Structure formats: structure tokens, C-alpha cells
Amino acid sequence: MTLLLAMGVGACVSIPSENVDPVKNNQATYKKDLRECGEDYPETGSGAHLRQWVGCMKLKGWK
């Protein structure tokens, strides 16, 4: 049951992976920004953190 729920949440939420600024559109910046979002919004058992990470990444210019 938990596995199905996790798969469902994962399918609905995709973390942006392309930055609108070509200079920041690289893997090192992506990992840094994702790590910062993870620190700001720690993982929760319910999976709510994923939506927060997506919002955080969008604020940083990722789409």
C-alpha cells in the first residue's frame, strides 16, 4: 500500500530540471539548488515535501 502511494505521488510531481538562465543550466547548479531546497523543506513521511521542493526550484528559475 505504501509503495503504491509513493509511486502515485512520484508520478504526479516532477522536479524541474532546466533553468531559464543558460549560465545556471548545468548539473552542479541544479544539485546545489536542489540540496538547498531539501534543507529548507525536509522530507516528510506524507510526501508533501516534494511539492515544496518543486515550488522552491521554480522560484530559483528552474522549469
Side-chain angles (χ1 to χ4, degrees):
M1 182 68 165
T2 304
L3 179 61
L4 290 176
L5 179 62
M7 288 174 51
V9 170
C12 296
V13 177
S14 72
I15 297 178
S17 61
E18 184 178 330
N19 199 304
V20 294
D21 183 356
V23 174
K24 294 182 178 182
N25 198 15
N26 59 58
Q27 191 170 12
T29 304
Y30 176 80
K31 286 182 178 181
K32 177 184 163 282
D33 287 347
L34 187 59
R35 185 178 56 245
E36 288 174 357
C37 290
E39 290 170 356
D40 292 341
Y41 302 102
E43 291 186 36
T44 61
S46 66
H49 64 282
L50 294 174
R51 290 182 192 249
Q52 293 171 322
W53 289 0
V54 169
C56 178
M57 292 295 280
K58 285 183 179 180
L59 286 174
K60 292 178 179 275
W62 295 93
K63 60 177 183 165

